[in-house]
Amino acid sequence: MSCQHTVDVGAYLFGSLDLKERSAFERHLSGCDACQAEMLRLAPLPGLLGRLSLDDVENLDEIPECPPQPNRQRRVLIACAAVLAVLALAGGIFFLRPSPAPTWAAQDQGTGVDASVSMLTKSWGTEMRFKLGNVKPGARCKVMVFSREGQREIGGWWGSDHAADEEIPGSTSFSLDRIDRLEVSDESGILVTLRP
């Protein structure tokens, strides 16, 4: 099954549609299985592209002509393993422990939806892991990430048919200290807002 509007999915995800086009596309999206499938397929793209630096893009054509020799790779791996073993014995492993991920939680009194999100700082932005409760089955949910400077981007799309203890991944190019709030919504509107 195909739809002529699937080409609008990318423009929608990257915020390139004006308000009128966006509204029309969202109305269309609620009833189009092809566009919903395309949305779920492309949803990680903005977060993945946010990981690229200008240097990454400029050096895309600098792929080595021949891969490193396996013996060299093996020597490097053995040397790395030896260094890690020395660090562990010397107590250096303490410095390698990840710091605990900050977690935000909220329950919306109007919708009854409860949510929590743990967030990990990455070099490209922030990785998010959501847990949601009391979301109606069969809903298409999304998270909108708002920065303290007033910017926004979609941090993920998913269906609500998942196990209660399942973690739902999301991502944003905003660093953790720039995030003001997260709004989880479905076709009916905002389900819950998470803040620090």
Side-chain angles (χ1 to χ4, degrees), residues 22-152:
R22 183 178 188 82
S23 179
F25 180 74
E26 286 178 344
R27 284 192 304 275
H28 166 78
L29 182 64
S30 66
C32 180
D33 291 338
C35 287
Q36 289 174 8
E38 186 71 357
M39 182 73 73
L40 289 173
R41 189 177 75 81
L42 295 178
L45 195 56
L48 291 172
L49 289 175
R51 296 179 186 181
L52 292 176
S53 68
L54 185 57
D55 289 337
D56 293 331
V57 176
E58 289 175 347
N59 299 321
L60 284 176
D61 57 350
E62 295 179 10
I63 298 172
E65 290 181 21
C66 40
Q69 296 299 319
N71 290 340
R72 177 172 162 71
Q73 286 179 340
R74 184 174 177 177
R75 284 193 303 255
V76 169
L77 287 174
I78 290 171
C80 288
V83 168
L84 287 175
V86 169
L87 287 175
L89 290 173
I93 199 69
F94 174 79
F95 296 106
L96 300 177
R97 278 190 218 148
S99 59
T103 301
W104 299 355
Q107 181 174 23
D108 189 281
Q109 298 302 316
T111 64
V113 173
D114 59 90
S116 67
V117 60
S118 60
M119 293 177 281
L120 297 171
T121 297
K122 300 288 186 177
S123 60
W124 47 263
T126 305
E127 179 181 316
M128 301 176 287
R129 297 284 176 181
F130 292 89
K131 286 191 178 182
L132 297 172
N134 302 318
V135 179
K136 69 178 180 181
R140 297 280 182 200
C141 301
K142 72 176 177 183
V143 62
M144 188 65 73
V145 184
F146 293 85
S147 75
R148 296 182 190 280
E149 299 85 16
Q151 297 172 315
R152 66 180 185 163

Side-chain angles (χ1 to χ4, degrees), residues 40 135-136 138-141 157-162 168:
L40 289 173
V135 179
K136 69 178 180 181
R140 297 280 182 200
C141 301
W157 283 86
W158 61 86
S160 65
D161 299 322
H162 54 79
I168 303 159

